[in-house]
Amino acid sequence: MTTTLRDIPQVQKLLLEPHIAALVDRFGQDDVRDAIRDRLAELRAAILNGQEVDVQRLASAETAGALEEQLARAAKPVLGPVINATGIIIHTNLGRAPLAPSVRAQIDAVAQGACGLEFDLKTGERGRRGQGATTLLRKLTGAEDALVVNNCAAAVLLALTGLAGGREVIASRGELVEIGGAFRMPDVIAQSGAFLREVGTTNKTRISDYAGAIGAETAVLLKSHTSNFRMVGFTETPDRAGLAALAKAHDVVLIEDLGSGILIDLAAHGLAREPVVRDVLKSGVDLVLFSGDKLLGGPQAGILAGRADLIAALRAHPMYRALRADKMTLAGLEATLRLYLAPNDPMQDIPVLQRLGCTLETLRARAEYIVQGAGEGLDLCIKESAAQVGAGAMPGTSLDSIAIAVRVPGQSAKETAARLRQADTPVVGRIKDGTLLLDMRSSGAEDTPGIVAALRGLVA
Ligand SMILES: *Cc1c(COP(=O)(O)O)cnc(C)c1O
Protein backbone atom coordinates (compact mmCIF):
# COMPACT_ATOMS: atom_id res chain seq x y z
CA MET A 1 0.00 0.00 0.00
CA THR A 2 1.57 3.30 -1.01
CA THR A 3 1.17 6.50 0.91
CA THR A 4 -0.56 9.34 -0.88
CA LEU A 5 -0.82 13.04 -0.11
CA ARG A 6 -4.27 12.27 1.22
CA ASP A 7 -2.74 10.28 4.09
CA ILE A 8 -0.94 13.29 5.52
CA PRO A 9 -2.77 14.35 8.67
CA GLN A 10 -4.06 17.87 9.17
CA VAL A 11 -1.98 20.29 11.19
CA GLN A 12 -4.92 21.02 13.52
CA LYS A 13 -5.24 17.32 14.36
CA LEU A 14 -1.53 16.92 15.01
CA LEU A 15 -1.56 19.86 17.39
CA LEU A 16 -3.96 17.92 19.62
CA GLU A 17 -1.72 14.82 19.87
CA PRO A 18 -0.41 14.63 23.48
CA HIS A 19 3.31 14.81 22.62
CA ILE A 20 2.75 17.80 20.36
CA ALA A 21 0.26 19.51 22.71
CA ALA A 22 3.01 19.52 25.35
CA LEU A 23 5.21 21.43 22.92
CA VAL A 24 2.41 23.95 22.31
CA ASP A 25 2.32 24.63 26.06
CA ARG A 26 6.04 25.34 26.01
CA PHE A 27 6.68 27.14 22.74
CA GLY A 28 3.26 28.55 21.77
CA GLN A 29 0.86 27.44 19.04
CA ASP A 30 2.28 29.60 16.22
CA ASP A 31 5.86 28.35 16.36
CA VAL A 32 4.83 24.70 16.78
CA ARG A 33 2.37 24.98 13.88
CA ASP A 34 5.09 26.48 11.66
CA ALA A 35 7.54 23.73 12.61
CA ILE A 36 4.92 21.03 11.79
CA ARG A 37 4.10 22.70 8.48
CA ASP A 38 7.79 22.57 7.55
CA ARG A 39 7.86 18.89 8.37
CA LEU A 40 4.65 18.19 6.38
CA ALA A 41 6.12 20.04 3.40
CA GLU A 42 9.13 17.71 3.52
CA LEU A 43 6.82 14.69 3.67
CA ARG A 44 4.79 15.95 0.73
CA ALA A 45 7.93 16.37 -1.32
CA ALA A 46 9.04 12.85 -0.38
CA ILE A 47 5.69 11.36 -1.39
CA LEU A 48 5.73 13.20 -4.72
CA ASN A 49 9.18 11.76 -5.28
CA GLY A 50 7.70 8.31 -4.89
CA GLN A 51 9.38 7.62 -1.56
CA GLU A 52 7.71 5.44 1.03
CA VAL A 53 6.99 7.47 4.20
CA ASP A 54 5.43 6.61 7.54
CA VAL A 55 2.89 9.33 8.33
CA GLN A 56 2.00 7.72 11.66
CA ARG A 57 5.37 8.72 12.99
CA LEU A 58 4.37 12.38 12.84
CA ALA A 59 2.50 12.09 16.13
CA SER A 60 5.16 9.97 17.81
CA ALA A 61 7.42 10.87 20.74
CA GLU A 62 10.39 10.61 18.38
CA THR A 63 9.08 13.33 16.07
CA ALA A 64 8.06 15.45 19.06
CA GLY A 65 11.61 15.10 20.39
CA ALA A 66 13.11 16.30 17.10
CA LEU A 67 10.62 19.18 16.96
CA GLU A 68 11.44 20.11 20.54
CA GLU A 69 15.14 20.33 19.74
CA GLN A 70 14.43 22.49 16.69
CA LEU A 71 12.06 24.80 18.60
CA ALA A 72 14.41 25.13 21.57
CA ARG A 73 17.25 26.09 19.24
CA ALA A 74 15.07 28.69 17.51
CA ALA A 75 13.87 30.09 20.86
CA LYS A 76 17.41 30.68 22.11
CA PRO A 77 18.36 34.37 22.01
CA VAL A 78 20.61 35.20 19.08
CA LEU A 79 22.69 37.43 21.33
CA GLY A 80 23.60 35.26 24.28
CA PRO A 81 26.62 34.45 26.41
CA VAL A 82 29.71 32.97 24.80
CA ILE A 83 33.00 31.81 26.34
CA ASN A 84 35.96 33.75 24.98
CA ALA A 85 38.84 31.28 24.62
CA THR A 86 40.41 33.18 21.72
CA GLY A 87 43.31 34.56 23.76
CA ILE A 88 42.21 38.13 23.01
CA ILE A 89 41.04 39.57 26.32
CA ILE A 90 39.12 42.61 25.03
CA HIS A 91 37.53 41.12 21.92
CA THR A 92 35.37 43.66 20.08
CA ASN A 93 33.43 40.96 18.17
CA LEU A 94 32.71 39.16 21.45
CA GLY A 95 31.45 42.19 23.37
CA ARG A 96 34.70 43.54 24.89
CA ALA A 97 34.96 43.92 28.67
CA PRO A 98 33.28 41.32 30.92
CA LEU A 99 31.67 43.05 33.89
CA ALA A 100 32.15 42.46 37.61
CA PRO A 101 29.27 40.98 39.67
CA SER A 102 28.63 44.25 41.56
CA VAL A 103 28.46 46.11 38.23
CA ARG A 104 25.98 43.62 36.78
CA ALA A 105 23.87 43.88 39.93
CA GLN A 106 23.71 47.67 39.66
CA ILE A 107 22.71 47.50 35.98
CA ASP A 108 20.00 45.00 36.88
CA ALA A 109 18.77 47.21 39.73
CA VAL A 110 18.24 50.29 37.55
CA ALA A 111 16.87 48.23 34.64
CA GLN A 112 14.04 46.98 36.83
CA GLY A 113 12.18 50.26 37.18
CA ALA A 114 12.60 53.94 37.80
CA CYS A 115 15.91 55.46 38.86
CA GLY A 116 17.20 58.95 39.55
CA LEU A 117 18.67 59.33 36.07
CA GLU A 118 18.15 63.09 35.86
CA PHE A 119 16.65 63.65 39.27
CA ASP A 120 18.25 64.97 42.45
CA LEU A 121 16.82 62.97 45.35
CA LYS A 122 18.09 65.50 47.89
CA THR A 123 16.28 68.54 46.47
CA GLY A 124 13.53 66.78 44.54
CA GLU A 125 14.49 68.90 41.55
CA ARG A 126 15.76 67.97 38.16
CA GLY A 127 19.34 66.64 38.38
CA ARG A 128 22.22 66.12 36.03
CA ARG A 129 22.43 62.90 34.01
CA GLY A 130 25.38 60.71 34.97
CA GLN A 131 26.19 62.68 38.14
CA GLY A 132 27.46 59.58 39.98
CA ALA A 133 29.84 58.56 37.21
CA THR A 134 30.99 62.16 36.72
CA THR A 135 31.83 62.62 40.41
CA LEU A 136 33.92 59.44 40.39
CA LEU A 137 35.62 60.36 37.12
CA ARG A 138 36.68 63.70 38.60
CA LYS A 139 38.03 61.96 41.67
CA LEU A 140 39.90 59.29 39.70
CA THR A 141 41.33 61.44 36.89
CA GLY A 142 41.64 64.89 38.45
CA ALA A 143 39.47 66.29 35.65
CA GLU A 144 37.38 69.38 36.39
CA ASP A 145 34.35 67.76 34.78
CA ALA A 146 33.34 64.82 32.58
CA LEU A 147 30.64 63.73 30.15
CA VAL A 148 29.56 60.22 29.11
CA VAL A 149 28.37 59.25 25.62
CA ASN A 150 27.79 55.92 23.87
CA ASN A 151 31.37 55.09 22.84
CA CYS A 152 34.72 56.71 22.23
CA ALA A 153 33.94 57.24 18.55
CA ALA A 154 30.95 59.33 19.66
CA ALA A 155 33.19 61.22 22.10
CA VAL A 156 35.59 62.14 19.26
CA LEU A 157 32.73 63.20 16.99
CA LEU A 158 31.08 65.32 19.70
CA ALA A 159 34.33 66.97 20.81
CA LEU A 160 35.36 67.90 17.27
CA THR A 161 31.88 69.01 16.20
CA GLY A 162 31.40 71.11 19.31
CA LEU A 163 34.87 72.62 19.55
CA ALA A 164 36.17 72.72 15.98
CA GLY A 165 33.13 72.65 13.64
CA GLY A 166 33.73 75.03 10.71
CA ARG A 167 37.31 75.63 11.84
CA GLU A 168 40.64 73.85 11.65
CA VAL A 169 42.02 70.79 13.44
CA ILE A 170 45.75 70.19 13.35
CA ALA A 171 46.87 66.56 13.58
CA SER A 172 50.10 64.68 13.00
CA ARG A 173 50.40 62.55 9.82
CA GLY A 174 51.64 59.76 12.06
CA GLU A 175 48.43 59.71 14.09
CA LEU A 176 45.69 59.71 11.44
CA VAL A 177 44.63 56.24 12.45
CA GLU A 178 41.98 53.83 11.27
CA ILE A 179 40.60 52.01 14.32
CA GLY A 180 38.33 49.60 12.47
CA GLY A 181 34.62 49.50 11.79
CA ALA A 182 34.93 52.56 9.47
CA PHE A 183 36.43 54.78 12.17
CA ARG A 184 39.13 56.69 10.26
CA MET A 185 40.33 59.86 11.89
CA PRO A 186 40.36 62.01 8.70
CA ASP A 187 36.79 60.91 7.93
CA VAL A 188 35.59 61.63 11.48
CA ILE A 189 37.14 65.10 11.32
CA ALA A 190 35.40 65.71 7.98
CA GLN A 191 32.12 64.47 9.45
CA SER A 192 32.44 66.93 12.35
CA GLY A 193 32.50 69.82 9.93
CA ALA A 194 36.08 70.71 10.85
CA PHE A 195 38.96 70.99 8.39
CA LEU A 196 41.96 68.75 8.86
CA ARG A 197 45.39 70.27 8.59
CA GLU A 198 48.01 67.52 8.54
CA VAL A 199 51.47 68.25 9.88
CA GLY A 200 54.76 66.38 10.10
CA THR A 201 55.50 63.10 8.39
CA THR A 202 54.46 59.52 8.95
CA ASN A 203 57.28 58.79 11.38
CA LYS A 204 58.33 62.17 12.74
CA THR A 205 56.31 65.16 13.88
CA ARG A 206 57.78 67.94 16.01
CA ILE A 207 56.35 70.79 18.06
CA SER A 208 57.67 73.17 15.40
CA ASP A 209 55.43 71.46 12.81
CA TYR A 210 52.35 72.27 14.88
CA ALA A 211 53.64 75.77 15.66
CA GLY A 212 54.17 76.51 11.97
CA ALA A 213 50.64 75.43 11.11
CA ILE A 214 48.66 77.30 13.78
CA GLY A 215 46.69 80.18 12.33
CA ALA A 216 43.60 82.28 12.89
CA GLU A 217 41.34 79.40 11.80
CA THR A 218 42.87 76.84 14.15
CA ALA A 219 40.51 75.65 16.90
CA VAL A 220 42.00 72.34 18.04
CA LEU A 221 45.30 70.47 18.23
CA LEU A 222 44.42 66.78 18.14
CA LYS A 223 46.61 64.04 19.46
CA SER A 224 45.54 60.41 18.96
CA HIS A 225 46.72 57.15 20.44
CA THR A 226 47.98 54.97 17.58
CA SER A 227 45.99 52.16 19.13
CA ASN A 228 46.27 49.27 16.76
CA PHE A 229 49.76 49.66 15.39
CA ARG A 230 53.22 50.48 16.58
CA MET A 231 55.97 52.31 14.77
CA VAL A 232 59.54 51.25 15.32
CA GLY A 233 62.77 52.80 14.12
CA PHE A 234 63.36 56.51 13.75
CA THR A 235 60.21 58.07 15.15
CA GLU A 236 59.41 61.28 16.96
CA THR A 237 56.26 62.67 18.50
CA PRO A 238 56.10 65.86 20.51
CA ASP A 239 55.64 65.51 24.26
CA ARG A 240 52.31 66.51 25.74
CA ALA A 241 53.62 69.31 27.93
CA GLY A 242 55.20 71.01 24.91
CA LEU A 243 52.03 70.71 22.87
CA ALA A 244 49.97 71.95 25.82
CA ALA A 245 52.15 75.03 26.19
CA LEU A 246 51.83 75.72 22.46
CA ALA A 247 48.03 75.33 22.59
CA LYS A 248 47.79 77.65 25.57
CA ALA A 249 49.98 80.32 23.97
CA HIS A 250 47.71 80.38 20.91
CA ASP A 251 44.45 79.97 22.83
CA VAL A 252 43.50 76.75 21.04
CA VAL A 253 42.25 73.51 22.61
CA LEU A 254 44.47 70.43 22.95
CA ILE A 255 42.41 67.24 22.69
CA GLU A 256 43.82 63.74 23.07
CA ASP A 257 41.95 60.68 21.86
CA LEU A 258 43.41 58.02 24.15
CA GLY A 259 41.23 55.19 22.83
CA SER A 260 41.64 52.71 25.65
CA GLY A 261 41.92 55.06 28.60
CA ILE A 262 43.37 53.58 31.73
CA LEU A 263 43.06 54.86 35.27
CA ILE A 264 45.95 53.06 36.97
CA ASP A 265 49.60 52.56 36.04
CA LEU A 266 49.82 49.08 34.55
CA ALA A 267 53.62 49.22 34.42
CA ALA A 268 53.56 49.02 38.22
CA HIS A 269 52.00 45.57 37.74
CA GLY A 270 54.64 44.34 35.33
CA LEU A 271 52.59 45.13 32.22
CA ALA A 272 53.30 47.43 29.26
CA ARG A 273 53.07 51.14 30.00
CA GLU A 274 49.93 52.87 28.73
CA PRO A 275 49.20 56.56 29.31
CA VAL A 276 47.15 57.03 32.49
CA VAL A 277 44.28 59.54 32.12
CA ARG A 278 45.28 61.49 35.25
CA ASP A 279 48.86 61.96 33.97
CA VAL A 280 47.67 63.04 30.53
CA LEU A 281 45.45 65.72 32.08
CA LYS A 282 48.21 66.79 34.45
CA SER A 283 50.56 67.37 31.52
CA GLY A 284 48.16 70.02 30.27
CA VAL A 285 45.86 68.29 27.79
CA ASP A 286 42.52 70.15 27.86
CA LEU A 287 40.22 67.29 27.00
CA VAL A 288 40.88 63.53 27.08
CA LEU A 289 38.63 61.04 25.30
CA PHE A 290 38.54 57.32 26.10
CA SER A 291 36.43 54.16 26.01
CA GLY A 292 34.50 52.66 28.92
CA ASP A 293 34.83 49.08 27.72
CA LYS A 294 38.49 48.72 26.81
CA LEU A 295 41.14 48.66 29.56
CA LEU A 296 38.87 50.59 31.91
CA GLY A 297 36.84 47.38 32.08
CA GLY A 298 33.28 48.73 32.17
CA PRO A 299 30.26 48.89 29.85
CA GLN A 300 30.45 50.34 26.34
CA ALA A 301 30.77 54.11 26.76
CA GLY A 302 32.77 57.08 25.59
CA ILE A 303 34.15 59.41 28.23
CA LEU A 304 35.17 63.03 27.79
CA ALA A 305 37.16 64.40 30.74
CA GLY A 306 38.91 67.71 31.23
CA ARG A 307 38.28 71.46 31.40
CA ALA A 308 34.91 72.42 32.90
CA ASP A 309 34.15 75.14 30.31
CA LEU A 310 34.71 72.72 27.41
CA ILE A 311 32.57 70.00 29.01
CA ALA A 312 29.81 72.56 29.69
CA ALA A 313 29.83 73.64 26.04
CA LEU A 314 29.64 70.03 24.84
CA ARG A 315 26.89 69.16 27.32
CA ALA A 316 24.81 71.98 25.84
CA HIS A 317 25.49 70.93 22.21
CA PRO A 318 22.50 69.38 20.37
CA MET A 319 24.65 66.45 19.28
CA TYR A 320 25.13 65.41 22.94
CA ARG A 321 21.39 64.75 23.14
CA ALA A 322 21.77 62.18 20.33
CA LEU A 323 24.89 60.53 21.75
CA ARG A 324 24.29 60.50 25.52
CA ALA A 325 24.49 57.22 27.43
CA ASP A 326 21.43 55.48 28.88
CA LYS A 327 20.67 54.60 32.52
CA MET A 328 22.10 51.07 32.33
CA THR A 329 25.40 52.25 30.88
CA LEU A 330 25.68 55.02 33.45
CA ALA A 331 24.86 52.66 36.33
CA GLY A 332 27.40 50.11 35.05
CA LEU A 333 30.08 52.75 34.54
CA GLU A 334 29.54 54.25 38.00
CA ALA A 335 29.76 50.80 39.62
CA THR A 336 32.92 50.00 37.62
CA LEU A 337 34.59 53.26 38.63
CA ARG A 338 33.79 52.54 42.27
CA LEU A 339 35.94 49.39 42.02
CA TYR A 340 38.98 51.64 41.50
CA LEU A 341 38.52 53.09 44.99
CA ALA A 342 39.74 51.52 48.26
CA PRO A 343 39.02 49.11 49.80
CA ASN A 344 38.48 47.58 46.35
CA ASP A 345 41.45 46.33 44.35
CA PRO A 346 40.94 47.01 40.63
CA MET A 347 43.53 44.38 39.63
CA GLN A 348 41.37 41.77 41.37
CA ASP A 349 37.88 43.22 41.12
CA ILE A 350 37.76 44.37 37.49
CA PRO A 351 37.60 41.28 35.28
CA VAL A 352 39.64 42.75 32.39
CA LEU A 353 42.49 43.72 34.73
CA GLN A 354 42.23 40.47 36.66
CA ARG A 355 42.65 38.56 33.37
CA LEU A 356 45.60 40.74 32.38
CA GLY A 357 47.39 40.10 35.65
CA CYS A 358 46.42 36.46 36.28
CA THR A 359 49.49 34.29 36.99
CA LEU A 360 50.54 31.46 34.69
CA GLU A 361 50.21 29.01 37.60
CA THR A 362 46.54 29.94 38.05
CA LEU A 363 45.92 29.54 34.31
CA ARG A 364 47.73 26.21 34.26
CA ALA A 365 45.76 24.93 37.25
CA ARG A 366 42.51 25.83 35.47
CA ALA A 367 43.64 24.10 32.30
CA GLU A 368 44.51 20.95 34.29
CA TYR A 369 41.15 20.98 36.03
CA ILE A 370 39.39 21.31 32.66
CA VAL A 371 41.41 18.51 31.05
CA GLN A 372 40.60 16.20 33.98
CA GLY A 373 36.92 17.06 33.84
CA ALA A 374 36.63 16.59 30.09
CA GLY A 375 36.83 12.80 30.38
CA GLU A 376 37.99 10.21 27.82
CA GLY A 377 37.94 10.19 24.05
CA LEU A 378 39.69 13.51 23.38
CA ASP A 379 43.33 14.28 22.74
CA LEU A 380 43.94 17.28 25.03
CA CYS A 381 47.31 18.82 25.62
CA ILE A 382 48.26 21.82 27.82
CA LYS A 383 50.69 24.22 26.14
CA GLU A 384 52.20 27.63 26.64
CA SER A 385 50.66 30.25 24.38
CA ALA A 386 50.59 33.97 23.74
CA ALA A 387 47.51 36.09 24.48
CA GLN A 388 46.76 39.67 23.51
CA VAL A 389 44.99 42.58 25.19
CA GLY A 390 42.87 43.37 22.10
CA ALA A 391 40.64 46.31 21.06
CA GLY A 392 43.67 48.30 19.98
CA ALA A 393 45.14 48.39 23.48
CA MET A 394 48.87 47.69 23.83
CA PRO A 395 49.51 46.77 20.19
CA GLY A 396 52.38 44.40 19.67
CA THR A 397 52.39 43.32 23.32
CA SER A 398 51.82 39.64 23.88
CA LEU A 399 50.98 38.16 27.25
CA ASP A 400 52.28 34.78 28.39
CA SER A 401 49.39 32.39 28.57
CA ILE A 402 48.30 28.76 28.79
CA ALA A 403 46.08 27.02 26.24
CA ILE A 404 44.51 23.62 25.84
CA ALA A 405 45.15 22.11 22.40
CA VAL A 406 42.04 20.12 21.48
CA ARG A 407 42.10 17.23 19.02
CA VAL A 408 39.19 14.94 18.27
CA PRO A 409 40.30 11.76 16.47
CA GLY A 410 39.09 11.80 12.85
CA GLN A 411 38.02 15.45 12.94
CA SER A 412 39.68 18.57 11.58
CA ALA A 413 40.45 21.52 13.88
CA LYS A 414 37.90 23.56 11.94
CA GLU A 415 35.16 20.97 12.48
CA THR A 416 35.94 20.70 16.19
CA ALA A 417 35.94 24.49 16.52
CA ALA A 418 32.53 24.63 14.82
CA ARG A 419 31.13 22.01 17.21
CA LEU A 420 32.39 23.91 20.27
CA ARG A 421 30.56 26.97 18.93
CA GLN A 422 27.33 24.94 18.92
CA ALA A 423 27.60 24.01 22.62
CA ASP A 424 24.89 25.16 25.07
CA THR A 425 27.25 27.94 26.06
CA PRO A 426 29.29 28.35 22.87
CA VAL A 427 33.07 28.27 23.28
CA VAL A 428 35.12 30.29 20.78
CA GLY A 429 38.77 29.24 20.47
CA ARG A 430 41.41 29.98 17.86
CA ILE A 431 43.19 27.81 15.33
CA LYS A 432 46.96 28.20 15.18
CA ASP A 433 49.11 26.13 12.82
CA GLY A 434 46.23 23.71 12.26
CA THR A 435 45.63 23.15 15.99
CA LEU A 436 42.56 24.29 17.90
CA LEU A 437 43.60 26.18 21.04
CA LEU A 438 41.42 27.17 23.98
CA ASP A 439 43.33 30.00 25.63
CA MET A 440 42.85 30.34 29.38
CA ARG A 441 43.74 34.06 29.73
CA SER A 442 40.74 35.51 27.89
CA SER A 443 38.11 33.66 29.93
CA GLY A 444 37.45 33.66 33.66
CA ALA A 445 37.29 31.02 36.39
CA GLU A 446 33.48 31.16 36.14
CA ASP A 447 33.75 29.86 32.55
CA THR A 448 35.38 26.61 33.65
CA PRO A 449 32.18 24.51 33.90
CA GLY A 450 31.05 25.75 30.48
CA ILE A 451 34.33 24.75 28.84
CA VAL A 452 34.22 21.31 30.50
CA ALA A 453 30.62 20.79 29.33
CA ALA A 454 31.45 21.84 25.76
CA LEU A 455 34.45 19.46 25.64
CA ARG A 456 32.35 16.61 27.02
CA GLY A 457 29.78 17.34 24.34
CA LEU A 458 32.42 16.65 21.68
CA VAL A 459 32.50 12.95 22.60
CA ALA A 460 28.88 12.50 23.70
C1 LIG B 1 39.05 52.20 20.14
C2 LIG B 1 39.37 53.58 19.79
C3 LIG B 1 38.35 54.48 19.41
C4 LIG B 1 36.93 54.05 19.33
O1 LIG B 1 36.44 53.70 20.58
P1 LIG B 1 35.00 52.98 20.68
O2 LIG B 1 34.73 52.98 22.14
O3 LIG B 1 35.17 51.63 20.09
O4 LIG B 1 34.04 53.79 19.91
C5 LIG B 1 38.71 55.77 19.09
N1 LIG B 1 40.00 56.17 19.13
C6 LIG B 1 41.01 55.33 19.50
C7 LIG B 1 42.42 55.86 19.50
C8 LIG B 1 40.72 54.01 19.84
O5 LIG B 1 41.69 53.17 20.21
Side-chain angles (χ1 to χ4, degrees):
M1 213 179 75
T2 40
T3 326
T4 68
L5 292 179
R6 218 180 277 249
D7 298 315
I8 293 183
Q10 285 182 325
V11 178
Q12 284 312 332
K13 279 214 184 104
L14 282 171
L15 286 172
L16 298 175
E17 295 288 343
H19 295 303
I20 308 265
L23 293 181
V24 171
D25 288 344
R26 200 171 138 201
F27 297 103
Q29 174 128 330
D30 290 353
D31 285 356
V32 177
R33 190 198 289 122
D34 288 348
I36 292 177
R37 281 202 178 122
D38 289 348
R39 202 125 305 199
L40 294 183
E42 284 165 24
L43 279 187
R44 240 176 251 121
I47 291 170
L48 291 174
N49 268 333
Q51 286 164 261
E52 210 33 60
V53 294
D54 179 5
V55 290
Q56 298 314 317
R57 271 190 34 201
L58 273 174
S60 70
E62 187 189 334
T63 301
L67 280 177
E68 180 181 3
E69 221 169 85
Q70 178 189 339
L71 288 160
R73 223 178 300 130
K76 219 172 128 177
V78 174
L79 180 57
V82 157
I83 293 172
N84 174 8
T86 60
I88 298 168
I89 299 175
I90 310 171
H91 198 303
T92 296
N93 300 151
L94 298 180
R96 289 198 186 160
L99 301 178
S102 64
V103 175
R104 280 150 30 206
Q106 201 51 34
I107 292 173
D108 188 56
V110 299
Q112 205 177 41
C115 66
L117 181 62
E118 289 183 5
F119 186 77
D120 186 334
L121 290 168
K122 236 187 256 161
T123 61
E125 312 266 315
R126 188 187 169 136
R128 183 165 277 175
R129 177 180 281 254
Q131 193 57 62
T134 304
T135 304
L136 289 170
L137 281 166
R138 286 170 47 196
K139 198 166 182 163
L140 291 163
T141 67
E144 288 174 6
D145 203 357
L147 198 60
V148 183
V149 290
N150 282 321
N151 47 44
C152 188
V156 176
L157 187 61
L158 176 63
L160 293 178
T161 307
L163 303 175
R167 298 179 64 201
E168 210 174 69
V169 173
I170 299 179
S172 161
R173 289 203 165 86
E175 294 179 351
L176 294 172
V177 293
E178 173 182 300
I179 303 299
F183 183 94
R184 302 177 117 192
M185 199 46 97
D187 298 344
V188 176
I189 293 171
Q191 192 62 46
S192 75
F195 302 97
L196 169 63
R197 176 132 187 205
E198 300 177 28
V199 294
T201 60
T202 304
N203 58 328
K204 290 196 180 194
T205 305
R206 303 185 179 90
I207 296 267
S208 56
D209 295 319
Y210 289 88
I214 292 187
E217 281 309 302
T218 308
V220 163
L221 305 188
L222 176 67
K223 191 170 167 51
S224 309
H225 192 289
T226 52
S227 292
N228 48 12
F229 72 101
R230 198 157 67 175
M231 260 195 295
V232 293
F234 294 99
T235 65
E236 190 171 335
T237 43
D239 68 30
R240 290 191 182 88
L243 267 186
L246 180 71
K248 209 172 165 98
H250 289 84
D251 198 21
V252 298
V253 176
L254 175 59
I255 299 179
E256 178 157 355
D257 173 17
L258 269 186
S260 184
I262 178 122
L263 302 180
I264 54 174
D265 184 10
L266 287 181
H269 298 273
L271 296 156
R273 188 175 293 280
E274 279 281 305
V276 177
V277 175
R278 175 181 284 278
D279 299 338
V280 173
L281 286 169
K282 213 186 262 172
S283 62
V285 173
D286 296 306
L287 197 60
V288 177
L289 319 174
F290 53 102
S291 282
D293 58 346
K294 289 186 181 173
L295 280 171
L296 194 139
Q300 182 189 299
I303 297 161
L304 304 96
R307 255 169 56 190
D309 60 327
L310 303 178
I311 294 290
L314 296 175
R315 191 182 280 121
H317 195 282
M319 190 179 269
Y320 167 64
R321 179 64 178 73
L323 301 176
R324 67 187 189 183
D326 76 318
K327 63 174 179 176
M328 287 181 282
T329 299
L330 289 166
L333 182 62
E334 181 182 339
T336 302
L337 293 169
R338 198 160 289 287
L339 295 176
Y340 281 91
L341 296 176
N344 302 302
D345 174 5
M347 290 306 290
Q348 286 308 318
D349 297 333
I350 295 191
V352 161
L353 300 180
Q354 193 273 336
R355 281 161 208 210
L356 264 177
C358 198
T359 65
L360 275 186
E361 294 79 73
T362 305
L363 298 181
R364 191 183 293 278
R366 254 181 69 213
E368 279 164 3
Y369 180 90
I370 290 169
V371 167
Q372 268 168 22
E376 308 287 307
L378 293 171
D379 176 3
L380 302 177
C381 165
I382 297 174
K383 320 170 58 149
E384 295 192 347
S385 73
Q388 281 170 277
V389 178
M394 301 186 193
T397 304
S398 81
L399 304 160
D400 291 343
S401 186
I402 295 290
I404 302 173
V406 183
R407 276 192 205 82
V408 180
Q411 209 171 70
S412 74
K414 241 176 139 169
E415 285 167 331
T416 309
R419 286 183 62 202
L420 287 177
R421 292 197 305 270
Q422 301 306 314
D424 271 346
T425 304
V427 176
V428 185
R430 76 168 186 278
I431 295 174
K432 188 166 179 267
D433 304 330
T435 303
L436 172 60
L437 297 177
L438 302 184
D439 197 294
M440 295 291 107
R441 192 172 286 287
S442 53
S443 60
E446 66 281 4
D447 294 320
T448 305
I451 298 176
V452 170
L455 287 172
R456 283 176 168 240
L458 288 177
V459 281

